Amino acid sequence: MATGRTHRPATRSRGIPEATVARLPLYLRALTALSERSVPTVSSEELAAAAGVNSAKLRKDFSYLGSYGTRGVGYDVEYLVYQISRELGLTQDWPVVIVGIGNLGAALANYGGFASRGFRVAALIDADPSMAGKPVAGIPVQHSDELETIVRENGVHIGVIATPAGAAQEVCDRLVAAGVTSILNFAPTVLSVPDGVDVRKVDLSIELQILAFHEQRKAGEEAAARTAAGVPAPAATDATTAADGAKRTSATDQGPDGDVPAVMPA
Amino acid sequence: MATGRTHRPATRSRGIPEATVARLPLYLRALTALSERSVPTVSSEELAAAAGVNSAKLRKDFSYLGSYGTRGVGYDVEYLVYQISRELGLTQDWPVVIVGIGNLGAALANYGGFASRGFRVAALIDADPSMAGKPVAGIPVQHSDELETIVRENGVHIGVIATPAGAAQEVCDRLVAAGVTSILNFAPTVLSVPDGVDVRKVDLSIELQILAFHEQRKAGEEAAARTAAGVPAPAATDATTAADGAKRTSATDQGPDGDVPAVMPA
DNA sequence: ATGTCTTTGTGAACGCGTGCACAAAGATGG
DNA sequence: CCATCTTTGTGCACGCGTTCACAAAGACAT
């Protein structure tokens, strides 16, 4: 899980568990694919397989939304698409601003999965004056000075932060002050926000580190036992497909970290 | 939560709970920042605040790793950095390949948070022949034909998929066949992999949809009640900072979805 | 050496999420 | 109209994760 919610301690917002909400987009994606193939109905078993979850879980999730299935038949695809979209609030238009137009910000601006879900990129904002006016994904980049104006005039409630870690909190504060109440944070920092503001974070390197943990485990316990002694990491061992692999001895003395995504400052 | 593990049903790998593993990178980041400021020790309370978690949770997490703290004082920053790094397997070198060098793939290649964590981008792979040889982040892009060779010769165990959804499963299969056992998937698809292979996924639009859900909730129940009728979404309502805001009526008839990240095919 | 003060490490309780397993519901065929 | 078959919806039990609260442990001052 690349993310985790901040504030609001597990308040299940009106009966729908948080875990269920997190799976609704998954179901929606699978259902959309079925819809495009003009499949009229789908059983919980089939849909669960397509979404990569347990069928009992899926049925329980849907039961929180109401009884939208027909026993002996399954669920009506189109109807379910509508119900989930409505529940997630995707039937309305969500203007979004992206702050920090570096590599990642540009990737997000170009991401097709937004527009098709009711999200509209209202503006791209960057602190670099030389980027002002330059079109990215067909949208001209605007300077940070315009942030407050843009947010207010477009009624933006959702902001995406793709700046370096150092700039994230300040950008966050300004977004919140201007009226944003939901933030998707790609900067590797913990943002502090007032109550009532939701923050979700995506940290690319965290995911990789979790994978590394399990990968190390798979590599066998003997290697772990060896480094568990005082030995300061005797280079990679590669029990299985050991090729040459340019090895490095340690990762701690690796120069300045900074821990920033490769994006332009904002 | 942008992610979720696939397969391996909650097996706590040698006593360390999955939830704890997922937080270790958070602690590590906070500790690294302290280390750079030459802070010698830190209390669970301070570190928890910096990492954005509960202090009791942090102490329990650390208790799974062993007793590394000193009562009345706190934790030794440097020692803890080393212990967590070792536990996560970051003291060794992890060669990684990125497949699909579009906007997102390029952003990942440029991402600074990898190298500082023991991850080394061994190769960039794309299916587009015209990209072959073109340097991205200082690394020449190689054609997909080379995938198996690259993985084998570099002893790569971790692969990152940043291709469109349509190409993801095939890329995944080839990576696994070549020896990759951990995959970080940015393509909006459910990947099926054999047992023993870990998959973590990051879906940008899912995070945004979860935010939209809570945002809709905040906007008040009256608007939800209105659309709950047969009315096909009466445009945005903006209870609070209602500006003009270019409104759109519906998001369902929005043209072809495709649901692909804006990257080149691989 | 002894007492006080700070902070860790953890036992225990609680709540949420998951998955089993089955009864109820409806479709379908005779 | 009845029997059978499929599939939903959910009661229930279990396990994981979180949090509280406190005893144990060590630092530090006197």
Side-chain angles (χ1 to χ4, degrees):
Chain A
M1 198 164 327
T3 70
R5 302 182 60 253
T6 317
H7 287 282
R8 186 179 310 201
T11 312
R12 71 166 56 179
S13 320
R14 197 204 62 189
I16 299 183
E18 193 58 33
T20 295
V21 174
R23 279 189 295 269
L24 290 182
L26 246 60
Y27 302 144
L28 184 56
R29 183 205 294 163
L31 285 164
T32 305
L34 290 172
S35 173
E36 282 167 4
R37 289 197 284 133
S38 300
V39 178
T41 60
V42 65
S43 72
S44 64
E45 204 70 49
E46 294 166 331
L47 184 55
V53 301
N54 184 294
S55 72
K57 196 187 295 187
L58 178 143
R59 288 198 298 276
K60 181 147 292 192
D61 283 342
F62 285 175
S63 78
Y64 290 117
L65 309 183
S67 293
Y68 296 146
T70 308
R71 297 175 192 230
V73 177
Y75 298 92
D76 183 276
V77 172
E78 295 300 332
Y79 187 56
L80 208 44
V81 164
Y82 172 70
Q83 289 299 340
I84 294 180
S85 293
R86 187 177 57 80
E87 196 66 47
L88 284 172
L90 306 183
T91 52
Q92 60 180 275
D93 178 60
W94 291 108
V96 169
V97 294
I98 301 175
V99 186
I101 312 302
N103 278 295
L104 183 56
L108 293 170
N110 280 295
Y111 186 59
F114 291 164
S116 60
R117 297 282 190 287
F119 299 101
R120 174 174 50 85
V121 178
L124 305 178
I125 303 175
D126 200 288
D128 185 355
S130 68
M131 289 207 61
K134 209 178 84 177
V136 171
I139 304 168
V141 175
Q142 296 177 267
H143 191 263
S144 323
D145 292 347
E146 312 292 327
L147 191 148
E148 285 77 8
T149 312
I150 295 167
V151 169
R152 292 220 175 80
E153 292 193 348
N154 291 281
V156 173
H157 288 122
I158 301 178
V160 178
I161 298 180
T163 68
Q169 183 64 58
E170 192 211 321
V171 167
C172 172
D173 292 342
R174 289 178 62 187
L175 285 173
V176 170
V180 166
T181 47
S182 288
I183 290 177
L184 182 54
N185 179 31
F186 285 89
T189 328
V190 177
L191 294 179
S192 64
V193 292
D195 278 1
V197 176
D198 277 318
V199 176
R200 294 190 66 87
K201 61 174 177 295
V202 177
D203 190 318
L204 312 172
S205 88
I206 282 184
E207 297 304 312
L208 225 39
Q209 291 174 60
I210 297 173
L211 281 178
F213 172 83
H214 294 294
E215 195 58 44
Q216 183 187 37
R217 186 110 324 176
K218 285 185 228 163
E221 309 299 321
E222 76 288 352
R226 210 176 314 148
T227 58
V231 195
T237 33
D238 281 2
T240 53
T241 54
D244 57 322
K247 305 185 195 309
R248 192 156 47 100
T249 49
S250 173
T252 48
D253 52 350
Q254 186 52 12
D257 185 347
D259 204 1
V260 296
V263 296
M264 303 302 292
Chain B
M1 189 169 342
T3 72
R5 301 183 63 254
T6 318
H7 287 283
R8 187 181 311 199
T11 312
R12 70 166 55 179
S13 321
R14 198 205 60 189
I16 301 184
E18 192 59 31
T20 296
V21 173
R23 279 189 294 268
L24 290 183
L26 245 60
Y27 302 144
L28 185 56
R29 184 205 294 163
L31 285 164
T32 304
L34 290 172
S35 173
E36 282 167 5
R37 288 197 284 133
S38 301
V39 177
T41 61
V42 65
S43 73
S44 64
E45 204 70 51
E46 294 166 332
L47 185 54
V53 301
N54 184 295
S55 72
K57 195 187 295 187
L58 179 142
R59 287 198 301 274
K60 179 144 288 192
D61 283 342
F62 285 175
S63 78
Y64 291 118
L65 309 182
S67 294
Y68 295 145
T70 306
R71 297 174 192 231
V73 177
Y75 299 92
D76 183 278
V77 172
E78 294 300 330
Y79 187 55
L80 208 44
V81 164
Y82 172 69
Q83 290 298 341
I84 294 180
S85 294
R86 187 177 57 79
E87 196 67 48
L88 284 172
L90 305 183
T91 51
Q92 60 180 276
D93 179 59
W94 292 108
V96 169
V97 293
I98 301 175
V99 187
I101 313 302
N103 279 296
L104 182 57
L108 293 169
N110 280 297
Y111 186 61
F114 291 164
S116 60
R117 297 283 190 283
F119 299 102
R120 176 173 49 86
V121 179
L124 306 178
I125 303 176
D126 199 290
D128 184 354
S130 70
M131 289 207 59
K134 209 179 84 176
V136 171
I139 304 169
V141 175
Q142 294 178 267
H143 191 262
S144 324
D145 293 347
E146 312 292 329
L147 190 149
E148 285 78 8
T149 312
I150 294 167
V151 169
R152 292 218 175 81
E153 291 193 349
N154 291 280
V156 173
H157 289 124
I158 301 178
V160 177
I161 298 180
T163 69
Q169 183 64 59
E170 192 211 320
V171 167
C172 173
D173 292 342
R174 290 178 62 185
L175 285 172
V176 170
V180 166
T181 46
S182 288
I183 291 176
L184 182 54
N185 180 31
F186 286 89
T189 328
V190 177
L191 295 178
S192 64
V193 292
D195 279 0
V197 176
D198 278 318
V199 176
R200 294 191 67 87
K201 63 174 177 298
V202 177
D203 190 318
L204 313 173
S205 88
I206 282 183
E207 296 305 312
L208 224 38
Q209 290 174 60
I210 297 172
L211 281 178
F213 172 83
H214 293 294
E215 196 57 45
Q216 183 188 37
R217 185 111 324 181
K218 285 185 229 163
E221 309 299 321
E222 78 287 355
R226 212 175 314 149
T227 58
V231 194
T237 33
D238 282 1
T240 52
T241 55
D244 59 322
K247 305 184 195 306
R248 192 156 47 98
T249 49
S250 173
T252 47
D253 52 350
Q254 185 55 6
D257 184 348
D259 205 358
V260 296
V263 296
M264 303 302 293

